[in-house]
Amino acid sequence: MTKIKSTLQRFRRSPAFAGFILFVVAFILNAALQGPSAFFTVRTFNTLFAKNVPFILVTIGQALLLMSGTMDISCGVQVALVNVVVIMSGQRMGLPFLVCCLLGIVAAMLASVVCWVCCSIFRLPALLASYALTFAIKGINVMIMDVPQGKVEKVFYKAYDSQIFGFIPVSALALVLVLLIWLYVKRTKFGSHIYAVGANPRNAFAAGISPSGVQLKAFLLKGLFTGIAGVCITLMIASGNPLQAEDYGIRSLSACILGGLGFGGWGSVACGVFGAGFYVLIQNSVYYFFSLLVKLIPGFAVSSYWQNFVTDIIIFLGLLMTIVTAKGQREALKQGIVRQFKREPYKAEAKEGNGGEGK
């Protein structure tokens, strides 16, 4: 019992706690508006995962970059890049679908490396570099596929939209795979170095860590997750579209902040997952809220503009909440990291002092 209590207390102090609260509130609100009998069904959860797993995966990738002290808002068009590469490599070269998916993932990783070169090697501001890269990748997408076209074999997109054992969405397996990859990576040296570089690159370099090398690994991992997201969205729409998912870049950034993740050495992947979950569920909640008003009020009608407006207001308030909540935690973390880097020199000085007194 004491162990469970201490675990809960640690979670309350973690960066992901604010995002978790927002996610739970959105989940309850969504269930109440849609109706428990309609919400808690296999079909509803399957639809939620199938349509939103690509966005959640992109948000996880964005979270890794933010923790390492950088960002990439071109990850949205990179999802579209994967989509067009998968479709056109099969359509023009006749390659098997699984090989096409592998090529699409490689394309996303190459695009991520280009962004890393701009940000970490040429020292361009990450926001401006990735914004410019958005238009470059969009142009490449249109060159590869000038108009929406192509198709995916029925066996593949039907499998993506199905369930294992009749209740586990197949689309959720992509999310599980990505989380397992991160859990493994988190236990490696890279998992700890990413926080050190994000918090203070100079101190990390002084400690023998290569900031550019760590950020390269973060970009490659983000590219892998973005590639998997692109494959998922290809299976979801069962065709190709060179101009889709562009807003994933900004949306993933806001979702990370909603989840309690800060820029540079602060937060965790859980922040991205909870933030993306809140983002998705609050959009659904607003849609069902206005749908309920249409049923209750005769002659009432509302455009999608007002739905988006209300959604953005709620997301803005959520951003304010997480920023205010995480401010004190962030300062405590920074002080802890500084003490961690100063600990060894302090011990060395203490030993010298003791030696002097002995003499």
mmCIF file of all heavy atoms in Angstrom, residues 58 61-62 65-66 70-79 115 119 125-135 137-138 219 222 226 245-254 263:
data_model
loop_
_atom_site.group_PDB
_atom_site.id
_atom_site.type_symbol
_atom_site.label_atom_id
_atom_site.label_comp_id
_atom_site.label_asym_id
_atom_site.label_seq_id
_atom_site.Cartn_x
_atom_site.Cartn_y
_atom_site.Cartn_z
ATOM 1 N N VAL A 58 3.070 10.598 -34.607
ATOM 2 C CA VAL A 58 3.818 11.816 -34.955
ATOM 3 C C VAL A 58 4.084 12.644 -33.702
ATOM 4 O O VAL A 58 5.179 13.211 -33.535
ATOM 5 C CB VAL A 58 3.047 12.637 -36.008
ATOM 6 C CG1 VAL A 58 3.695 14.004 -36.207
ATOM 7 C CG2 VAL A 58 3.003 11.894 -37.338
ATOM 8 N N GLY A 61 6.978 11.209 -31.799
ATOM 9 C CA GLY A 61 8.226 11.612 -32.434
ATOM 10 C C GLY A 61 8.588 13.056 -32.122
ATOM 11 O O GLY A 61 9.755 13.381 -31.851
ATOM 12 N N GLN A 62 7.593 13.928 -32.147
ATOM 13 C CA GLN A 62 7.826 15.336 -31.811
ATOM 14 C C GLN A 62 8.267 15.485 -30.361
ATOM 15 O O GLN A 62 9.124 16.320 -30.043
ATOM 16 C CB GLN A 62 6.539 16.136 -32.037
ATOM 17 C CG GLN A 62 6.711 17.641 -31.948
ATOM 18 C CD GLN A 62 7.361 18.220 -33.180
ATOM 19 O OE1 GLN A 62 8.583 18.409 -33.212
ATOM 20 N NE2 GLN A 62 6.564 18.499 -34.195
ATOM 21 N N LEU A 65 11.985 14.946 -29.978
ATOM 22 C CA LEU A 65 12.769 16.097 -30.420
ATOM 23 C C LEU A 65 12.732 17.218 -29.392
ATOM 24 O O LEU A 65 13.751 17.855 -29.116
ATOM 25 C CB LEU A 65 12.240 16.602 -31.771
ATOM 26 C CG LEU A 65 12.388 15.655 -32.958
ATOM 27 C CD1 LEU A 65 11.928 16.341 -34.239
ATOM 28 C CD2 LEU A 65 13.822 15.178 -33.121
ATOM 29 N N LEU A 66 11.563 17.481 -28.829
ATOM 30 C CA LEU A 66 11.460 18.533 -27.821
ATOM 31 C C LEU A 66 12.314 18.213 -26.601
ATOM 32 O O LEU A 66 12.953 19.095 -26.026
ATOM 33 C CB LEU A 66 9.997 18.705 -27.409
ATOM 34 C CG LEU A 66 9.085 19.393 -28.430
ATOM 35 C CD1 LEU A 66 7.637 19.347 -27.972
ATOM 36 C CD2 LEU A 66 9.509 20.828 -28.661
ATOM 37 N N THR A 70 15.087 20.401 -29.622
ATOM 38 C CA THR A 70 14.824 20.849 -30.983
ATOM 39 C C THR A 70 13.387 20.488 -31.361
ATOM 40 O O THR A 70 12.627 20.015 -30.500
ATOM 41 C CB THR A 70 15.830 20.218 -31.974
ATOM 42 O OG1 THR A 70 15.619 20.762 -33.276
ATOM 43 C CG2 THR A 70 15.698 18.704 -32.009
ATOM 44 N N MET A 71 13.005 20.705 -32.614
ATOM 45 C CA MET A 71 11.652 20.384 -33.062
ATOM 46 C C MET A 71 11.646 20.226 -34.578
ATOM 47 O O MET A 71 12.623 20.553 -35.254
ATOM 48 C CB MET A 71 10.666 21.488 -32.651
ATOM 49 C CG MET A 71 10.903 22.815 -33.351
ATOM 50 S SD MET A 71 9.662 24.061 -32.972
ATOM 51 C CE MET A 71 10.061 24.407 -31.275
ATOM 52 N N ASP A 72 10.541 19.745 -35.101
ATOM 53 C CA ASP A 72 10.387 19.565 -36.547
ATOM 54 C C ASP A 72 8.911 19.656 -36.897
ATOM 55 O O ASP A 72 8.161 18.702 -36.723
ATOM 56 C CB ASP A 72 10.958 18.211 -36.985
ATOM 57 C CG ASP A 72 10.874 18.007 -38.500
ATOM 58 O OD1 ASP A 72 10.504 18.969 -39.201
ATOM 59 O OD2 ASP A 72 11.169 16.890 -38.962
ATOM 60 N N ILE A 73 8.477 20.826 -37.402
ATOM 61 C CA ILE A 73 7.073 20.984 -37.771
ATOM 62 C C ILE A 73 6.809 20.508 -39.201
ATOM 63 O O ILE A 73 5.678 20.625 -39.684
ATOM 64 C CB ILE A 73 6.603 22.442 -37.604
ATOM 65 C CG1 ILE A 73 7.395 23.395 -38.511
ATOM 66 C CG2 ILE A 73 6.697 22.880 -36.158
ATOM 67 C CD1 ILE A 73 6.843 24.802 -38.516
ATOM 68 N N SER A 74 7.831 19.978 -39.856
ATOM 69 C CA SER A 74 7.624 19.408 -41.203
ATOM 70 C C SER A 74 7.230 17.934 -41.127
ATOM 71 O O SER A 74 7.077 17.285 -42.165
ATOM 72 C CB SER A 74 8.897 19.548 -42.041
ATOM 73 O OG SER A 74 9.932 18.700 -41.560
ATOM 74 N N CYS A 75 7.065 17.403 -39.900
ATOM 75 C CA CYS A 75 6.744 15.975 -39.774
ATOM 76 C C CYS A 75 5.389 15.647 -40.382
ATOM 77 O O CYS A 75 5.133 14.496 -40.764
ATOM 78 C CB CYS A 75 6.801 15.534 -38.320
ATOM 79 S SG CYS A 75 5.847 16.555 -37.185
ATOM 80 N N GLY A 76 4.498 16.632 -40.507
ATOM 81 C CA GLY A 76 3.203 16.391 -41.132
ATOM 82 C C GLY A 76 3.326 16.045 -42.603
ATOM 83 O O GLY A 76 2.771 15.041 -43.073
ATOM 84 N N VAL A 77 4.072 16.862 -43.339
ATOM 85 C CA VAL A 77 4.247 16.578 -44.764
ATOM 86 C C VAL A 77 5.140 15.364 -44.972
ATOM 87 O O VAL A 77 5.109 14.742 -46.038
ATOM 88 C CB VAL A 77 4.812 17.805 -45.519
ATOM 89 C CG1 VAL A 77 3.797 18.913 -45.584
ATOM 90 C CG2 VAL A 77 6.103 18.299 -44.896
ATOM 91 N N GLN A 78 5.940 15.010 -43.961
ATOM 92 C CA GLN A 78 6.720 13.777 -44.066
ATOM 93 C C GLN A 78 5.808 12.555 -44.031
ATOM 94 O O GLN A 78 6.095 11.544 -44.668
ATOM 95 C CB GLN A 78 7.739 13.713 -42.928
ATOM 96 C CG GLN A 78 8.865 14.734 -43.045
ATOM 97 C CD GLN A 78 9.792 14.724 -41.855
ATOM 98 O OE1 GLN A 78 9.932 13.725 -41.158
ATOM 99 N NE2 GLN A 78 10.436 15.852 -41.589
ATOM 100 N N VAL A 79 4.699 12.657 -43.309
ATOM 101 C CA VAL A 79 3.694 11.587 -43.331
ATOM 102 C C VAL A 79 3.132 11.438 -44.734
ATOM 103 O O VAL A 79 2.971 10.323 -45.245
ATOM 104 C CB VAL A 79 2.565 11.886 -42.321
ATOM 105 C CG1 VAL A 79 1.414 10.897 -42.486
ATOM 106 C CG2 VAL A 79 3.096 11.833 -40.891
ATOM 107 N N CYS A 115 16.560 17.546 -41.966
ATOM 108 C CA CYS A 115 16.177 18.535 -40.952
ATOM 109 C C CYS A 115 17.237 18.628 -39.864
ATOM 110 O O CYS A 115 17.538 19.721 -39.379
ATOM 111 C CB CYS A 115 14.813 18.161 -40.363
ATOM 112 S SG CYS A 115 14.076 19.448 -39.335
ATOM 113 N N CYS A 119 19.359 21.962 -38.653
ATOM 114 C CA CYS A 119 19.243 22.456 -37.275
ATOM 115 C C CYS A 119 20.524 22.279 -36.470
ATOM 116 O O CYS A 119 20.951 23.204 -35.761
ATOM 117 C CB CYS A 119 18.088 21.747 -36.562
ATOM 118 S SG CYS A 119 16.473 21.999 -37.316
ATOM 119 N N PRO A 125 17.688 28.054 -36.842
ATOM 120 C CA PRO A 125 16.604 27.870 -35.864
ATOM 121 C C PRO A 125 15.676 26.739 -36.300
ATOM 122 O O PRO A 125 15.241 26.696 -37.451
ATOM 123 C CB PRO A 125 15.891 29.230 -35.871
ATOM 124 C CG PRO A 125 16.920 30.199 -36.361
ATOM 125 C CD PRO A 125 17.768 29.439 -37.331
ATOM 126 N N ALA A 126 15.385 25.822 -35.380
ATOM 127 C CA ALA A 126 14.610 24.629 -35.732
ATOM 128 C C ALA A 126 13.240 24.983 -36.290
ATOM 129 O O ALA A 126 12.765 24.352 -37.240
ATOM 130 C CB ALA A 126 14.467 23.733 -34.507
ATOM 131 N N LEU A 127 12.603 26.001 -35.720
ATOM 132 C CA LEU A 127 11.265 26.374 -36.175
ATOM 133 C C LEU A 127 11.293 26.865 -37.617
ATOM 134 O O LEU A 127 10.488 26.433 -38.447
ATOM 135 C CB LEU A 127 10.686 27.452 -35.259
ATOM 136 C CG LEU A 127 9.263 27.922 -35.588
ATOM 137 C CD1 LEU A 127 8.272 26.780 -35.443
ATOM 138 C CD2 LEU A 127 8.863 29.089 -34.682
ATOM 139 N N LEU A 128 12.244 27.740 -37.930
ATOM 140 C CA LEU A 128 12.324 28.289 -39.288
ATOM 141 C C LEU A 128 12.802 27.237 -40.287
ATOM 142 O O LEU A 128 12.295 27.160 -41.412
ATOM 143 C CB LEU A 128 13.266 29.503 -39.301
ATOM 144 C CG LEU A 128 12.842 30.709 -38.463
ATOM 145 C CD1 LEU A 128 13.868 31.819 -38.557
ATOM 146 C CD2 LEU A 128 11.476 31.213 -38.906
ATOM 147 N N ALA A 129 13.785 26.430 -39.892
ATOM 148 C CA ALA A 129 14.324 25.421 -40.805
ATOM 149 C C ALA A 129 13.262 24.388 -41.165
ATOM 150 O O ALA A 129 13.090 24.029 -42.338
ATOM 151 C CB ALA A 129 15.530 24.738 -40.164
ATOM 152 N N SER A 130 12.549 23.895 -40.160
ATOM 153 C CA SER A 130 11.526 22.890 -40.441
ATOM 154 C C SER A 130 10.331 23.487 -41.170
ATOM 155 O O SER A 130 9.678 22.799 -41.962
ATOM 156 C CB SER A 130 11.079 22.220 -39.136
ATOM 157 O OG SER A 130 10.577 23.168 -38.216
ATOM 158 N N TYR A 131 10.060 24.770 -40.926
ATOM 159 C CA TYR A 131 8.973 25.437 -41.661
ATOM 160 C C TYR A 131 9.314 25.537 -43.147
ATOM 161 O O TYR A 131 8.475 25.266 -44.010
ATOM 162 C CB TYR A 131 8.726 26.828 -41.082
ATOM 163 C CG TYR A 131 7.643 27.609 -41.790
ATOM 164 C CD1 TYR A 131 6.309 27.256 -41.661
ATOM 165 C CD2 TYR A 131 7.963 28.707 -42.588
ATOM 166 C CE1 TYR A 131 5.312 27.968 -42.310
ATOM 167 C CE2 TYR A 131 6.981 29.437 -43.233
ATOM 168 C CZ TYR A 131 5.654 29.054 -43.091
ATOM 169 O OH TYR A 131 4.673 29.762 -43.744
ATOM 170 N N ALA A 132 10.552 25.911 -43.445
ATOM 171 C CA ALA A 132 10.983 25.981 -44.840
ATOM 172 C C ALA A 132 11.005 24.595 -45.475
ATOM 173 O O ALA A 132 10.631 24.417 -46.644
ATOM 174 C CB ALA A 132 12.361 26.623 -44.928
ATOM 175 N N LEU A 133 11.423 23.605 -44.681
ATOM 176 C CA LEU A 133 11.484 22.229 -45.183
ATOM 177 C C LEU A 133 10.087 21.692 -45.505
ATOM 178 O O LEU A 133 9.938 20.824 -46.379
ATOM 179 C CB LEU A 133 12.169 21.335 -44.148
ATOM 180 C CG LEU A 133 12.625 19.950 -44.611
ATOM 181 C CD1 LEU A 133 13.638 20.065 -45.733
ATOM 182 C CD2 LEU A 133 13.230 19.179 -43.439
ATOM 183 N N THR A 134 9.077 22.228 -44.828
ATOM 184 C CA THR A 134 7.702 21.817 -45.105
ATOM 185 C C THR A 134 7.353 22.043 -46.569
ATOM 186 O O THR A 134 6.781 21.171 -47.240
ATOM 187 C CB THR A 134 6.719 22.598 -44.209
ATOM 188 O OG1 THR A 134 6.982 22.291 -42.845
ATOM 189 C CG2 THR A 134 5.278 22.241 -44.535
ATOM 190 N N PHE A 135 7.709 23.213 -47.096
ATOM 191 C CA PHE A 135 7.380 23.540 -48.486
ATOM 192 C C PHE A 135 8.241 22.742 -49.465
ATOM 193 O O PHE A 135 7.772 22.370 -50.544
ATOM 194 C CB PHE A 135 7.553 25.040 -48.719
ATOM 195 C CG PHE A 135 6.594 25.875 -47.932
ATOM 196 C CD1 PHE A 135 6.961 26.417 -46.707
ATOM 197 C CD2 PHE A 135 5.307 26.099 -48.395
ATOM 198 C CE1 PHE A 135 6.071 27.181 -45.969
ATOM 199 C CE2 PHE A 135 4.408 26.856 -47.667
ATOM 200 C CZ PHE A 135 4.787 27.397 -46.451
ATOM 201 N N ILE A 137 9.456 19.648 -48.968
ATOM 202 C CA ILE A 137 8.924 18.277 -49.005
ATOM 203 C C ILE A 137 7.577 18.240 -49.707
ATOM 204 O O ILE A 137 7.270 17.287 -50.433
ATOM 205 C CB ILE A 137 8.815 17.708 -47.578
ATOM 206 C CG1 ILE A 137 10.199 17.612 -46.938
ATOM 207 C CG2 ILE A 137 8.153 16.328 -47.593
ATOM 208 C CD1 ILE A 137 10.188 17.147 -45.493
ATOM 209 N N LYS A 138 6.766 19.281 -49.493
ATOM 210 C CA LYS A 138 5.474 19.333 -50.171
ATOM 211 C C LYS A 138 5.673 19.362 -51.691
ATOM 212 O O LYS A 138 4.941 18.713 -52.442
ATOM 213 C CB LYS A 138 4.696 20.572 -49.735
ATOM 214 C CG LYS A 138 3.249 20.583 -50.220
ATOM 215 C CD LYS A 138 2.563 21.920 -49.965
ATOM 216 C CE LYS A 138 2.501 22.240 -48.497
ATOM 217 N NZ LYS A 138 1.736 23.518 -48.258
ATOM 218 N N PHE A 219 16.347 12.458 -34.225
ATOM 219 C CA PHE A 219 15.713 12.699 -35.522
ATOM 220 C C PHE A 219 15.463 11.389 -36.264
ATOM 221 O O PHE A 219 14.424 11.219 -36.907
ATOM 222 C CB PHE A 219 16.571 13.630 -36.379
ATOM 223 C CG PHE A 219 16.249 15.093 -36.207
ATOM 224 C CD1 PHE A 219 17.065 15.913 -35.445
ATOM 225 C CD2 PHE A 219 15.133 15.645 -36.804
ATOM 226 C CE1 PHE A 219 16.778 17.259 -35.274
ATOM 227 C CE2 PHE A 219 14.825 16.986 -36.643
ATOM 228 C CZ PHE A 219 15.647 17.804 -35.875
ATOM 229 N N LYS A 222 12.579 9.739 -34.599
ATOM 230 C CA LYS A 222 11.369 10.461 -35.007
ATOM 231 C C LYS A 222 10.977 10.100 -36.424
ATOM 232 O O LYS A 222 9.782 9.927 -36.743
ATOM 233 C CB LYS A 222 11.599 11.965 -34.867
ATOM 234 C CG LYS A 222 10.372 12.835 -35.121
ATOM 235 C CD LYS A 222 10.119 13.186 -36.570
ATOM 236 C CE LYS A 222 11.290 13.936 -37.168
ATOM 237 N NZ LYS A 222 11.035 14.275 -38.589
ATOM 238 N N THR A 226 7.516 8.531 -37.621
ATOM 239 C CA THR A 226 6.754 9.216 -38.664
ATOM 240 C C THR A 226 6.495 8.291 -39.846
ATOM 241 O O THR A 226 5.416 8.320 -40.450
ATOM 242 C CB THR A 226 7.508 10.467 -39.138
ATOM 243 O OG1 THR A 226 7.741 11.343 -38.020
ATOM 244 C CG2 THR A 226 6.718 11.224 -40.198
ATOM 245 N N ALA A 245 -2.285 15.760 -44.143
ATOM 246 C CA ALA A 245 -1.596 15.701 -42.840
ATOM 247 C C ALA A 245 -0.585 16.815 -42.604
ATOM 248 O O ALA A 245 0.242 16.710 -41.697
ATOM 249 C CB ALA A 245 -0.900 14.346 -42.674
ATOM 250 N N GLU A 246 -0.662 17.905 -43.377
ATOM 251 C CA GLU A 246 0.308 18.983 -43.193
ATOM 252 C C GLU A 246 0.192 19.613 -41.809
ATOM 253 O O GLU A 246 1.189 20.041 -41.223
ATOM 254 C CB GLU A 246 0.108 20.054 -44.270
ATOM 255 C CG GLU A 246 1.094 21.205 -44.183
ATOM 256 C CD GLU A 246 0.881 22.258 -45.251
ATOM 257 O OE1 GLU A 246 0.100 22.012 -46.189
ATOM 258 O OE2 GLU A 246 1.505 23.333 -45.142
ATOM 259 N N ASP A 247 -1.022 19.668 -41.264
ATOM 260 C CA ASP A 247 -1.220 20.293 -39.955
ATOM 261 C C ASP A 247 -0.738 19.428 -38.803
ATOM 262 O O ASP A 247 -0.745 19.867 -37.651
ATOM 263 C CB ASP A 247 -2.697 20.640 -39.767
ATOM 264 C CG ASP A 247 -3.592 19.403 -39.792
ATOM 265 O OD1 ASP A 247 -3.160 18.372 -40.347
ATOM 266 O OD2 ASP A 247 -4.721 19.482 -39.275
ATOM 267 N N TYR A 248 -0.305 18.205 -39.079
ATOM 268 C CA TYR A 248 0.197 17.346 -38.010
ATOM 269 C C TYR A 248 1.399 17.970 -37.302
ATOM 270 O O TYR A 248 1.607 17.708 -36.114
ATOM 271 C CB TYR A 248 0.602 15.980 -38.560
ATOM 272 C CG TYR A 248 -0.532 14.989 -38.709
ATOM 273 C CD1 TYR A 248 -1.858 15.413 -38.734
ATOM 274 C CD2 TYR A 248 -0.286 13.627 -38.837
ATOM 275 C CE1 TYR A 248 -2.894 14.508 -38.880
ATOM 276 C CE2 TYR A 248 -1.323 12.713 -38.975
ATOM 277 C CZ TYR A 248 -2.617 13.152 -39.001
ATOM 278 O OH TYR A 248 -3.636 12.255 -39.137
ATOM 279 N N GLY A 249 2.195 18.763 -38.002
ATOM 280 C CA GLY A 249 3.382 19.359 -37.409
ATOM 281 C C GLY A 249 3.036 20.287 -36.257
ATOM 282 O O GLY A 249 3.508 20.121 -35.124
ATOM 283 N N ILE A 250 2.176 21.289 -36.530
ATOM 284 C CA ILE A 250 1.768 22.235 -35.490
ATOM 285 C C ILE A 250 0.899 21.554 -34.444
ATOM 286 O O ILE A 250 1.027 21.800 -33.241
ATOM 287 C CB ILE A 250 1.019 23.421 -36.126
ATOM 288 C CG1 ILE A 250 1.971 24.243 -37.006
ATOM 289 C CG2 ILE A 250 0.402 24.301 -35.059
ATOM 290 C CD1 ILE A 250 3.103 24.893 -36.255
ATOM 291 N N ARG A 251 0.008 20.683 -34.888
ATOM 292 C CA ARG A 251 -0.872 19.997 -33.941
ATOM 293 C C ARG A 251 -0.088 19.112 -32.974
ATOM 294 O O ARG A 251 -0.400 19.052 -31.782
ATOM 295 C CB ARG A 251 -1.903 19.159 -34.701
ATOM 296 C CG ARG A 251 -3.007 19.947 -35.372
ATOM 297 C CD ARG A 251 -3.908 19.051 -36.195
ATOM 298 N NE ARG A 251 -4.501 17.999 -35.383
ATOM 299 C CZ ARG A 251 -5.116 16.930 -35.875
ATOM 300 N NH1 ARG A 251 -5.187 16.768 -37.194
ATOM 301 N NH2 ARG A 251 -5.655 16.032 -35.075
ATOM 302 N N SER A 252 0.932 18.428 -33.475
ATOM 303 C CA SER A 252 1.742 17.580 -32.591
ATOM 304 C C SER A 252 2.514 18.418 -31.580
ATOM 305 O O SER A 252 2.697 18.013 -30.426
ATOM 306 C CB SER A 252 2.704 16.721 -33.424
ATOM 307 O OG SER A 252 3.638 17.527 -34.118
ATOM 308 N N LEU A 253 2.952 19.601 -32.014
ATOM 309 C CA LEU A 253 3.667 20.499 -31.109
ATOM 310 C C LEU A 253 2.752 20.965 -29.977
ATOM 311 O O LEU A 253 3.132 20.941 -28.801
ATOM 312 C CB LEU A 253 4.205 21.691 -31.897
ATOM 313 C CG LEU A 253 5.216 22.596 -31.205
ATOM 314 C CD1 LEU A 253 6.461 21.826 -30.818
ATOM 315 C CD2 LEU A 253 5.571 23.770 -32.107
ATOM 316 N N SER A 254 1.542 21.376 -30.336
ATOM 317 C CA SER A 254 0.594 21.822 -29.311
ATOM 318 C C SER A 254 0.163 20.659 -28.420
ATOM 319 O O SER A 254 -0.045 20.837 -27.217
ATOM 320 C CB SER A 254 -0.628 22.470 -29.970
ATOM 321 O OG SER A 254 -1.306 21.554 -30.811
ATOM 322 N N PHE A 263 10.161 22.587 -23.700
ATOM 323 C CA PHE A 263 11.219 22.580 -24.709
ATOM 324 C C PHE A 263 12.572 22.377 -24.033
ATOM 325 O O PHE A 263 13.041 23.222 -23.294
ATOM 326 C CB PHE A 263 11.209 23.901 -25.482
ATOM 327 C CG PHE A 263 12.171 23.931 -26.640
ATOM 328 C CD1 PHE A 263 11.835 23.354 -27.841
ATOM 329 C CD2 PHE A 263 13.405 24.544 -26.518
ATOM 330 C CE1 PHE A 263 12.702 23.382 -28.909
ATOM 331 C CE2 PHE A 263 14.283 24.577 -27.585
ATOM 332 C CZ PHE A 263 13.925 23.997 -28.787
#
